[in-house]
Amino acid sequence: MTQNPLHKKNIILGVTGSIAAYKAADLASKLTQNGAIVNVILTDAAAKFISPLSFQSVTGQPAYISADLWGAEAHVLHIGLARKADALLIAPATANTLAKLARGGADDLLSLTALALGSGPDAPLLMIAPAMDAGMYSHAATQENVEILTRRGAVFIGPEEGHLASGLVAKGRMSEPIQILEHLRYQLSRSGPLKGCHITVTAGPTQEDIDPVRFLSNRSTGKQGYALAQAALDAGADVTLISGPTHLTPPAGTRLIHVRTAIEMQHATLSASKTADALIMTAAVADFRPAQPAEQKIKKAKGVLSLPLMQNPDILAAVNQQRATTLMPKILIGFAAETQSLTSNAEDKMRRKGLNLIVANDVSARDAGFAVDTNRVTLLYADGHQEELPLMSKLEIAAAVIERAIPLLNPQENV
Ligand code: C5P
């Protein structure tokens, strides 16, 4: 199964002397919950804000301070840490640490380890989340250091505009731990089996206007589609997510295109499909739209309202037609939400829409389908074979679907 790229990764979390250091404990905890092995290095200033024990408690791994350099393991500590690291994440990173890294200083355990990681394309990822007071980040000296480090391949996240410890509101606030984690997840996924593949995913409902304030829609929340976007990113793909209105946050690294109506979704999907290797159509596209949306709000005094509807275009069928000339996307994956005759209805859809794979789910079950976190699906393939998956989280289903898509996209993986 394609996995969270943080799973079993050795992450060194460098924590430096900013008040945001307290948030680093949450970050260390989240990284650990995502399966990473987290070794923390605190600078002396960081250890004044938060103790190594806090980190040890949430990571189950040792947390180091510079004094450990002179302990029993002294001559190997920074080398040992650097050798097994998949990434060094410094959060929060102070202006002093940025300056030190930019000029190659090595006077404490963190900067020594950063230097021992090496530089160039084969060096482990260096990701930096700065935190400092207003004016310090925008200072020419800091900006030059950021530029030097970026040129050497470091990836920056933040800082964000917001409330600072000094009381000022400006750019200098450390990005939230969840954003840092998601960005690291994205960065570590880039060498996955779908590296270089472009996958377009559609998600959520569409809204079809009745008048300027009312619309027709459905109960889709977009959860399954957003989970597919995440799973495709985790496998290394470049992902375009075409989303109807939802309350969800798109996974870090997605190219997000917001749409509202089926017509807008068709337009965006046909355009993205020209360069997509795969289209995964999870969106619950409204089948009908009001034939003539009213220009003004319809008044209830008019009494019984009859609303003539017309059929929306079938987006998958249109993409299938377009690919006869563009030869893209190479594979088409659809979803079938059914309340009866699940597999025969899904099979019929697969043939009509020219799909390579259809994911069929019974939306009448309480633990599957709309607005719940779990789903129970059957996968039907164009060659006629079927695969029933047990009740799983939508993320697990997404990972299973992406796993099945890999050999379809890279036929050499089959041999
Ligand atoms: O025909 P039905 O809506 O059940 O088919 C489901 C599949 O077709 C889904 O993948 C859905 O995203 C896609 N679809 C579409 N255009 C429509 C309606 C559904 O591409 N107008």
Side-chain angles (χ1 to χ4, degrees):
M1 180 117 40
T2 54
Q3 235 164 10
N4 184 333
L6 286 163
H7 188 73
K8 292 208 165 129
K9 291 282 160 50
N10 279 295
I11 310 295
I12 303 174
L13 174 61
V15 183
T16 71
S18 148
I19 179 59
Y22 80 93
K23 291 190 190 169
D26 182 31
L27 176 57
S29 167
K30 285 191 163 74
L31 287 166
T32 308
Q33 286 168 43
N34 274 259
I37 302 152
V38 186
N39 282 279
V40 177
I41 302 176
L42 294 96
T43 61
D44 288 348
K48 292 195 193 316
F49 287 98
I50 184 164
S51 89
L53 185 62
S54 308
F55 291 102
Q56 255 162 243
S57 308
V58 293
T59 63
Q61 299 289 327
Y64 300 98
I65 52 172
S66 287
D68 293 324
L69 259 175
W70 317 112
E73 292 180 278
H75 65 295
V76 290
L77 185 53
H78 59 289
I79 307 288
L81 284 169
R83 198 166 283 161
K84 64 177 185 186
D86 293 295
L88 168 60
L89 166 64
I90 306 184
T94 58
N96 181 47
T97 295
L98 294 184
K100 224 190 264 189
L101 295 181
R103 68 166 193 272
D107 64 352
D108 62 7
L109 181 57
L110 180 58
S111 52
L112 263 171
T113 307
L115 209 59
L117 280 180
S119 58
D122 296 330
L125 172 71
L126 171 59
M127 196 167 136
I128 301 174
M132 61 200 75
D133 199 24
M136 292 173 73
Y137 183 70
S138 58
H139 194 290
T142 305
Q143 285 304 305
E144 272 175 36
N145 291 331
V146 169
E147 228 179 271
I148 290 170
L149 291 166
T150 306
R151 218 181 310 126
R152 283 189 210 141
V155 175
F156 279 81
I157 171 154
E160 317 289 334
E161 189 92 24
H163 179 86
L164 303 172
S166 62
L168 294 169
V169 175
K171 194 165 176 172
R173 211 178 142 82
M174 187 177 85
S175 300
E176 288 305 317
I178 188 68
Q179 286 174 308
I180 298 174
L181 175 127
E182 299 222 321
H183 205 67
L184 181 62
R185 177 178 184 160
Y186 171 71
Q187 291 296 337
L188 290 175
S189 69
R190 297 301 81 204
S191 53
L194 289 181
K195 181 181 161 122
C197 281
H198 172 205
I199 298 196
T200 294
V201 180
T202 67
T206 64
Q207 294 179 346
E208 311 298 331
D209 289 342
I210 296 171
D211 66 18
V213 296
R214 303 182 181 97
F215 54 78
L216 292 177
S217 193
N218 58 62
R219 292 173 53 211
S220 168
T221 56
K223 280 183 181 169
Q224 187 63 74
Y226 277 57
L228 270 150
Q230 180 70 74
L233 285 161
D234 285 348
D238 298 321
V239 175
T240 301
L241 176 61
I242 301 172
S243 177
T246 75
H247 297 290
L248 303 174
T249 309
T254 20
R255 186 168 81 96
L256 180 68
I257 302 176
H258 277 298
V259 295
R260 219 167 58 76
T261 65
I263 299 288
E264 284 172 15
M265 185 169 278
Q266 181 181 36
H267 189 74
T269 308
L270 282 171
S271 161
S273 290
K274 286 182 196 153
T275 57
D277 296 291
L279 169 66
I280 307 179
M281 190 84 203
T282 64
V285 186
D287 288 323
F288 302 98
R289 68 176 187 275
Q292 265 181 334
E295 274 175 27
Q296 305 299 333
K297 185 179 170 191
I298 299 168
K299 292 300 197 192
K300 69 178 169 211
K302 284 196 167 170
V304 176
L305 175 68
S306 85
L307 194 62
L309 300 176
M310 64 186 286
Q311 222 164 9
N312 266 330
D314 190 304
I315 300 175
L316 267 174
V319 170
N320 194 32
Q321 210 171 11
Q322 175 176 277
R323 86 166 159 170
T325 46
T326 59
L327 306 181
M328 297 291 259
K330 288 179 210 141
I331 67 165
L332 286 183
I333 299 178
F335 272 66
E338 302 292 342
T339 53
Q340 57 186 358
S341 313
L342 182 64
T343 49
S344 58
N345 276 333
E347 211 166 303
D348 176 55
K349 268 173 205 172
M350 177 165 61
R351 308 245 169 272
R352 267 192 294 119
K353 301 183 188 218
L355 310 180
N356 303 80
L357 170 61
I358 192 157
V359 185
N361 71 311
D362 178 355
V363 285
S364 64
R366 286 176 60 132
D367 51 5
F370 292 129
V372 288
D373 289 326
T374 50
N375 219 349
R376 188 185 289 105
V377 301
T378 303
L379 307 180
L380 291 88
Y381 295 82
D383 67 7
H385 87 274
Q386 295 186 8
E387 189 184 357
E388 231 175 275
L389 300 182
L391 186 72
M392 287 176 166
S393 73
K394 287 184 175 173
L395 259 171
E396 286 168 328
I397 296 218
V401 171
I402 293 298
E403 180 89 354
R404 305 320 184 259
I406 292 172
L408 298 174
L409 281 164
N410 302 314
Q412 71 275 17
E413 303 250 329
N414 276 330
V415 289

